[in-house]
Amino acid sequence: METSFQVIVVGGGFAGVAAVKELGRKGVKVLLIDQHNYHQFQPLLYQVATAQIGVSEVTRTFRGLFQRYRSATVLTAKVASVDVAAHTVTTDQGDTFHADILVLAAGAEANYFNTPGAQENAYPLYSVTDAVRLGNAMVHTLDAAQRDSGGGGVHIVVVGGGPTGVETAGAIAENFKYVIPKYFSPELAANSSVHLVDMVPSVLTPFSDKSKAYATKRLQEAGVVLKMGSGVTDVRQDGVTFADGTSLPAQIIVWAGGLKAGAVVAASGLEQGRGGRIDVNPDLTAPGAPGVYVLGDAANMTDAHGVKLPQLGSCAQQAGKWAARNIHADLTGGTRAPFAYVDKGYMAMIGRGAAVAELGPKRIQMQGPLAFLAWLGVHVVLLSGNRQRISALVSWADDYLTHSRSHVVLGNPD
């Protein structure tokens, strides 16, 4: 079976959703294909894993997102292959769909950089499934440690000192400090540890020295042990080994060490650049592939001056909306425009009342409670629905005031 649309969008992340919404507003017949039937808010997955919020706060069905756009269709299916020359997409069920214009916004996957044992033994944190799996593993490991008459603790290593690693390590440390004594025992909390490790010399590489210093201090105050400047060379079920010959024991290793383009992009035949992503043209089209756009974590994008743009949700959202405008121009005989990114800066949560933010192209810097409030405000706005926003705010307030964890996940850690 082959069905035709004006546009097919592969992937329902920030970029794909933004593109479908904008195309839907313009009445373009568009098909979104994703292996899930929901959009997931990736910046808060670490909070799902650490039971600060629930899955329902970070997910929303595509049909709910697009219900007002009659020209938008959603297909829940895994993409088996794409033909960028023919503008076709084939699912693993053997159905083929054709479009005048093809948009690849299939996101990314963990990049283990060929580190032995990492893919087999580490927990990535890029999807809701990843977050629930990690949360399950931490709960079961804590249960096992409490049953152990030897009194040993739970030891966790987070690999990667970027925002995801910093936020995850900070959240785990706060659980050890405030939550584990309440739900398990003070002794278990006292005997547990979380290490944040990276080959680079400091955390939050894209940030200013002031922000790095503040983040380092607050992480250490929360109980995070930092080991920077030596890369991980081996990941085992019971720990990690470093390039300097040292090692750390751990029951759980969280991999926040980087991302690469997903399998759909890798198999597309398009020439890949850094991180396996496609170095797109200024108008977000793929070089040498007329009628093909590549967006979000699948693309390496630059501004009008050739400066590389960040792999951020806000950048992906803007790119999706911009690409939709260019696509509409393609379909109506208009002229494409180069992507004009509005730089909103960077931010990272460190812990309770602590965050760093560098806002706008001038990088207006904030640290501490003010940055924490800014972080909350930005993430509330970015969440995909009012129910998700209200629920997240209630969960955050409950967590801040009571250290309650009503979202602890249960199930099989595997």
Side-chain angles (χ1 to χ4, degrees):
M1 178 180 71
E2 181 169 326
T3 306
S4 293
F5 291 82
Q6 288 178 287
V7 181
I8 294 177
V9 177
V10 178
F14 286 118
V17 165
V20 172
K21 281 186 173 182
E22 187 68 14
L23 291 168
R25 290 188 189 101
K26 298 179 182 300
V28 174
K29 187 180 180 184
V30 55
L31 171 67
L32 172 73
I33 304 177
D34 194 286
Q35 64 180 324
H36 303 295
N37 67 354
Y38 57 85
H39 169 69
Q40 54 190 1
F41 189 79
Q42 291 168 330
L44 293 181
L45 290 177
Y46 79 94
Q47 293 199 3
V48 175
T50 53
Q52 295 178 58
I53 59 176
V55 169
S56 61
E57 280 95 322
V58 298
T59 57
R60 188 177 179 192
T61 64
F62 291 124
R63 290 178 177 85
L65 280 167
F66 306 139
Q67 61 181 338
R68 68 178 66 177
Y69 309 116
R70 294 187 177 182
S71 64
T73 302
V74 176
L75 174 67
T76 304
K78 188 172 182 178
V79 172
S81 64
V82 298
D83 187 328
V84 296
H87 294 181
T88 60
V89 178
T90 301
T91 71
D92 61 353
Q93 298 299 308
D95 297 323
T96 298
F97 300 87
H98 173 270
D100 299 322
I101 295 174
L102 181 61
V103 179
L104 300 183
E109 60 189 38
N111 189 347
Y112 298 104
F113 300 100
N114 298 317
T115 305
Q119 185 167 358
E120 296 80 7
N121 299 314
Y123 290 84
L125 195 52
Y126 190 69
S127 69
V128 169
T129 301
D130 292 339
V132 171
R133 179 170 171 259
L134 174 58
N136 281 338
M138 288 193 287
V139 170
H140 282 270
T141 304
L142 286 162
D143 283 337
Q146 190 168 32
R147 292 194 302 267
D148 183 4
S149 59
V154 172
H155 305 288
I156 299 176
V157 171
V158 179
V159 181
T164 299
V166 165
E167 292 179 333
T168 303
I172 293 171
E174 289 205 335
N175 276 4
F176 285 162
K177 187 174 182 178
Y178 298 112
V179 180
I180 305 309
K182 179 178 178 180
Y183 285 87
F184 291 89
S185 71
E187 293 76 19
L188 177 58
N191 292 328
S192 299
S193 68
V194 54
H195 286 73
L196 180 62
V197 307
D198 204 327
M199 64 185 297
V200 297
S202 65
V203 298
L204 300 177
T205 297
F207 289 71
S208 68
D209 289 342
K210 183 178 180 181
S211 294
K212 293 176 188 176
Y214 176 84
T216 298
K217 179 182 177 182
R218 288 307 302 255
L219 285 168
Q220 292 173 333
E221 289 175 349
V224 179
V225 181
L226 299 178
K227 180 176 174 58
M228 310 300 293
S230 185
V232 172
T233 58
D234 181 66
V235 177
R236 308 177 308 279
Q237 288 186 343
D238 62 352
V240 297
T241 302
F242 298 93
D244 61 9
T246 61
S247 61
L248 278 173
Q251 294 103 317
I252 294 175
I253 298 95
V254 182
W255 193 269
L259 298 171
K260 64 179 180 180
V264 170
V265 172
S268 68
L270 297 172
E271 185 176 349
Q272 295 175 264
R274 176 175 50 89
R277 295 180 286 269
I278 308 303
D279 295 329
V280 296
N281 295 319
D283 60 7
L284 304 175
T285 57
V292 177
Y293 289 76
V294 186
L295 308 175
D297 285 335
N300 291 321
M301 298 177 288
T302 61
D303 65 14
H305 305 288
V307 177
K308 295 177 181 178
L309 299 180
Q311 304 296 133
L312 296 175
S314 62
C315 186
Q317 278 187 328
Q318 291 181 49
K321 190 172 184 178
W322 196 279
R325 293 170 180 168
N326 279 346
I327 290 168
H328 188 253
D330 290 338
L331 296 172
T332 58
T335 303
R336 295 190 211 113
F339 179 35
Y341 172 58
V342 178
D343 188 349
K344 297 182 179 180
Y346 302 93
M347 54 177 53
M349 168 85 81
I350 313 300
R352 290 168 58 85
V356 292
E358 299 182 2
L359 305 178
K362 294 185 178 179
R363 296 293 183 264
I364 299 171
Q365 295 189 30
M366 293 187 290
Q367 292 87 28
L370 187 61
F372 176 76
L373 291 174
W375 183 96
L376 288 177
V378 167
H379 286 74
V380 166
V381 170
L382 288 175
L383 283 168
S384 59
N386 289 329
R387 189 187 64 77
Q388 285 78 9
R389 296 182 184 104
I390 293 169
S391 183
L393 284 170
V394 171
S395 294
W396 286 330
D398 188 37
D399 172 49
Y400 193 87
L401 295 173
T402 69
H403 301 296
S404 175
R405 285 293 187 271
S406 59
H407 298 290
V408 174
V409 289
L410 302 172
N412 191 320
D414 297 323

